[in-house]
Amino acid sequence: MIGPYVLPDDVFDALAAGEGGRPAVLLLLRARRSRNLLLLRRALDGPCGRAVEPAADLLAGVERADPEAARSVIDGPAFGTWAARTLRDCPAHGRGGCAGRDLAALTVLAAVRAAHPARITVPVREGRLGLPGLGTVTGLGAAPEALVVVEATAGAEGTPDPSAGNCRVRVLTAAGERVLPRDPSRPGHGWQPVAVLDARHRGLTLRLPLETAAPELPALETASANPAAWQDLLRQAWELLVDNHPRRAAELAAGLNGIVPLPAPARGVASATSRHAFGTVLTSWPADPERLALTLLHEFQHSKLSALTDLVTLYEPGGGPRLYAPWRPDPRPPGGLLQGIYAHLGDLAFWQERSGSRHGPARADAAWRLAQTRAHVERGLTEAASHVRLTALGTRFLERLAGTVRDGAGAGGGSGGERLARAVARVQAGDEAVWRLRWAAADDAGTERLAALWRAGRPAGPLPAADVRPATGAVAGPGPEFGRWAARQRGAERARPVREAADAVRAAPHRAQGWAELAASAAEEDRPGADILRTRTELVRDLFVRLTAQQPPTPPGPASPRPPDPRAPAAWLADAAGGAGLSGAGPAGGAVSPSGPASPRPCDPLALAAWLADAAGGAGPSGAGPVADEEGVPGRDSQARSARPARGPGCAGRGDPGEADPEPGPPSGDGLAVPAESGSGEAPMASACSPGPDPAADEGPVASAAPGPGDGPAAGAEPGEGRAPGQKTGVSMSQNARSPLAKTSATG
């Protein structure tokens, strides 16, 4: 039956709060299955249709004989990534190398599982024939393709008998024939099977292929993956999850469908989630059960949100295109920011439990990670509330999510208390300052205007807009100098005195680490302009450098004035950002008055920041100018907005007709490198407006980065996206589909 999906209010709210339970996961799984069928329909109707059709016909035949075998392939790790790549950027559909032909390799698994006779031509790459879910045939030489023949065991009446055991699978090329082992899970000459990992504990079972044969996914070879070690590690991680996170373990048992082993980065763990492969976790060797458990929780959050955004629209196009996410070293798109916030709810639950159950140094370590993760999520919520154009459902989604963070704020905090919170705040202030210096650039003309106003002793007026540059290629973290400073904060009682930090900036104004320390010190001492030093660091630095470079040199000697003080311009800017000095009489407060022609006071970055802050009118993080709240009143605290997003009128499917520790981490191909201190992370994810095969929950490769999130959909990009909030969502396959698979489309 063809019909629409309806997402009940209680299911939407439970998912928004971070969980959802097994029923919600099964609904998302069915919706994703229908989405994959729609993508198959589009592939059949597109330029790759002739290449796709033989495999689609085989899959339809398997579906008629054994629907579960067909569904296992449609739901599997490789199907969605294959379909998205074929629809987005098939490299050679007119030259014999069409990506649509790769569907044939996926359908072999369905035929074997259903004991369904089949003859299908499958592409061979570099002498290797990958059969996702089964294994890889090696040593095929230069053959461009192979004929795969599945011969089912015959029953008493000569018909295929699925209960009789294994099929006989033959691989024929121009050079000869290969016959796979009767049990394809066993290795053989030129045959590397896909291992199936099995973990059972307290009635919950997890069976996951260690997928090494899917050409769309960047996996290690089976021999390099060490399936026996993975099996032992998964068993221990599963026991940890079932014992300590039973509801989330039930979700994983219902929705996880595979692990793709990635090459190990230089240090730490690299993990990723593909938007197009629901329930598939890509990860390098996690080294210990705790790390694997955390990775599974984190990455499955990405899958849940990706599937949810097939059904609802959480944000509209526009808003800030490149936003700050404290778990990433690179600017994020709005969908990537939301993905990261949501994925870190899994980390939050994990460290909350660990900080309450561990003892000694392990407890202190878990408490630090818990506090840091909570600070990351809260800062991400602030950024989303300030810069993402949320729909009514998106506002409601963030409201439920923020409620989960608030409700758990006092639980499992571990040791450290206020000192721990101050240390985390210092690290986050320094990280944001370094991020701003790296990615944001103030307008030169605007900075020159501010310099002229400062020298004239006048208020700053509106701040110039900042241009946040896009990231290209692999992105490294803030570097070892920042990592060492951030690591020291865990044991520090307080920040460096702000005067010392200002002197260090004065001595080396181009050193990013000095500005990070100054931002952290100013925030801890609650100095005027502290917010501007953190959220417009690039503007304060550029203005300070411009002002100090134009000061006339003075001869050395006892009577010579002090070197320029970098705090003064910051305080001046903070005064302006707060609305002071609007009469045009100059900055308020004699202690931070700007230097003018008749007042050659040294330039101080704190004074500059305070002056800018008055001009910004209380701008939120990364803002350039006043921020209006829901009633249009400038200056509302954006942190309060993020903690309690205004409840919107939207609803989700009511039945009416009508989406680190401070040390830098390692590189990871398409995935985010997760530092050893942090435990989990996200990988790059393609925007839904350009669906593709990249295994990612985020966008753009990352190296030496703190863990972070994934990209979300753009309206109108793919089936099930871009609809009005709260409308009844249909993602079932079209009635006029040519393939018999049209009749297997699941309904909600």
Side-chain angles (χ1 to χ4, degrees):
M1 182 179 74
I2 303 298
Y5 281 94
V6 175
L7 186 64
D9 284 337
D10 59 340
V11 174
F12 177 85
D13 289 340
L15 287 167
E19 290 191 10
R22 178 182 172 86
V25 170
L26 292 176
L27 186 150
L28 295 177
L29 180 61
R30 293 195 301 271
R32 179 50 66 96
R33 183 182 305 146
S34 285
R35 175 184 182 273
N36 284 346
L37 287 169
L38 280 170
L39 294 178
L40 175 58
R41 177 71 273 159
R42 287 178 57 187
L44 283 165
D45 291 339
C48 302
R50 294 185 63 182
V52 173
E53 193 163 11
D57 288 343
L58 173 58
L59 193 57
V62 171
E63 188 275 333
R64 287 190 293 267
D66 188 341
E68 185 58 37
R71 281 197 294 267
S72 69
V73 170
I74 297 167
D75 297 343
F79 192 94
T81 52
W82 162 81
R85 176 172 178 261
T86 300
L87 291 172
R88 183 187 67 178
D89 59 356
C90 175
H93 62 253
R95 301 192 298 275
C98 177
R101 299 169 67 235
D102 291 329
L103 178 61
L106 278 64
T107 61
V108 173
L109 175 62
V112 169
R113 287 180 172 171
H116 185 81
R119 295 175 65 88
I120 190 81
T121 300
V122 181
V124 174
R125 292 181 175 84
E126 298 179 352
R128 301 171 62 85
L129 172 65
L131 301 174
L134 284 176
T136 303
V137 182
T138 62
L140 295 181
E145 60 186 22
L147 176 65
V148 178
V149 180
V150 178
E151 298 173 347
T153 303
E157 299 180 359
T159 59
D161 181 8
S163 66
N166 303 310
C167 300
R168 184 168 183 253
V169 180
R170 300 160 57 212
V171 177
L172 292 84
T173 66
E177 178 185 43
R178 294 279 187 88
V179 179
L180 304 191
R182 275 286 184 175
D183 180 358
S185 66
R186 295 182 176 277
H189 176 66
W191 172 245
Q192 299 178 355
V194 167
V196 177
L197 310 179
D198 191 296
R200 306 169 189 266
H201 188 59
R202 294 190 175 182
L204 279 179
T205 299
L206 195 64
R207 286 181 58 83
L208 301 175
L210 191 66
E211 184 56 79
T212 55
E216 303 290 341
L217 301 171
L220 290 171
E221 295 183 7
T222 301
S224 302
N226 194 348
W230 276 99
Q231 171 63 55
D232 186 58
L233 198 66
L234 181 65
R235 177 185 57 78
Q236 298 176 66
W238 188 237
E239 291 176 0
L240 187 157
L241 289 169
V242 172
D243 287 342
N244 301 302
H245 304 276
R247 279 181 55 83
R248 292 182 181 271
E251 291 185 356
L252 296 174
L256 281 183
N257 62 19
I259 292 178
V260 177
L262 298 177
R267 62 182 295 273
V269 176
S271 66
T273 303
S274 171
R275 160 158 176 69
H276 307 292
F278 179 85
T280 302
V281 174
L282 294 81
T283 179
S284 62
W285 176 248
D288 60 70
E290 184 177 85
R291 187 66 53 80
L292 179 57
L294 178 59
T295 299
L296 295 179
L297 287 177
H298 183 102
E299 299 301 338
F300 192 60
Q301 290 290 107
H302 282 306
S303 281
K304 286 159 57 180
L305 184 55
S306 293
L308 177 64
T309 52
D310 288 340
L311 302 176
V312 298
T313 301
L314 299 181
Y315 67 95
E316 301 292 351
R322 293 182 283 275
L323 307 177
Y324 172 67
W327 51 85
R328 293 277 299 206
D330 52 343
R332 309 306 304 132
L337 178 65
L338 295 181
Q339 277 279 357
I341 295 170
Y342 192 69
H344 277 79
L345 287 186
D347 300 42
L348 199 62
F350 183 86
W351 291 120
Q352 189 165 294
E353 185 280 327
R354 301 307 274 174
S355 66
S357 63
R358 303 172 95 185
H359 303 281
R363 179 184 178 91
D365 182 67
W368 169 266
R369 298 175 193 277
L370 173 62
Q372 190 172 54
T373 301
R374 180 177 290 117
H376 284 173
V377 174
E378 289 172 347
R379 180 63 184 88
L381 286 167
T382 301
E383 189 82 347
S386 301
H387 299 293
V388 178
R389 297 177 58 181
L390 298 168
T391 64
L393 280 179
T395 300
R396 175 172 165 179
F397 182 84
L398 284 194
E399 181 183 46
R400 299 298 189 275
L401 195 157
T404 297
V405 179
R406 289 195 305 269
D407 293 345
S415 61
E418 191 63 30
R419 177 176 174 176
L420 176 63
R422 289 197 307 269
V424 168
R426 288 195 295 270
V427 173
Q428 190 157 305
D431 178 81
E432 187 163 359
V434 170
W435 187 93
R436 296 290 307 179
L437 291 176
R438 181 176 190 182
W439 297 107
D443 175 66
D444 285 342
T447 306
E448 181 56 43
R449 176 185 63 81
L450 289 174
L453 291 172
W454 170 270
R455 290 190 294 268
R458 297 173 56 191
L463 301 189
D467 177 30
V468 177
R469 302 188 307 276
T472 58
V475 176
E481 185 182 19
F482 178 83
R484 288 190 292 270
W485 171 82
R488 290 196 298 270
Q489 302 314 303
R490 290 182 65 165
E493 182 65 34
R494 63 186 300 276
R496 184 180 190 180
V498 72
R499 167 52 63 185
E500 291 184 14
D503 288 345
V505 166
R506 185 184 299 110
H510 291 286
R511 180 172 171 261
Q513 183 57 42
W515 289 98
E517 292 192 56
L518 181 58
S521 299
E524 186 156 296
E525 295 185 17
D526 198 22
R527 293 297 186 99
D531 286 344
I532 288 292
L533 273 170
R534 173 178 178 167
T535 63
R536 293 302 304 272
T537 320
E538 80 291 347
L539 179 58
V540 182
R541 184 187 67 175
D542 291 355
L543 183 57
F544 176 74
V545 170
R546 191 179 297 263
L547 288 169
T548 56
Q550 293 181 8
Q551 296 224 356
T554 55
S560 61
R562 290 187 61 191
D565 188 331
R567 296 179 301 160
W572 178 59
L573 294 171
D575 282 344
L582 297 180
S583 65
V592 295
S593 296
S595 54
S599 175
R601 291 174 57 89
C603 181
D604 185 313
L606 279 179
L608 270 180
W611 182 67
L612 285 172
D614 280 346
S622 304
V627 176
D629 63 14
E630 288 81 0
E631 287 74 37
V633 181
R636 177 165 176 171
D637 182 9
S638 59
Q639 180 66 40
R641 292 179 61 202
S642 76
R644 297 177 181 270
R647 178 163 183 158
C651 63
R654 298 181 183 272
D656 316 77
E659 160 90 10
D661 209 60
E663 293 283 342
S668 143
D670 285 338
L672 172 67
V674 183
E677 295 77 15
S678 161
S680 177
E682 301 76 72
M685 166 175 188
S687 167
C689 60
S690 59
D694 51 312
D698 262 339
E699 192 175 2
V702 176
S704 299
D711 192 3
E718 291 187 5
E721 296 178 356
R723 60 191 58 77
Q727 81 177 54
K728 197 171 182 180
T729 307
V731 291
S732 298
M733 199 167 182
S734 172
Q735 292 273 16
N736 63 358
R738 290 184 295 160
S739 167
L741 283 172
K743 301 176 182 178
T744 71
S745 168
T747 59

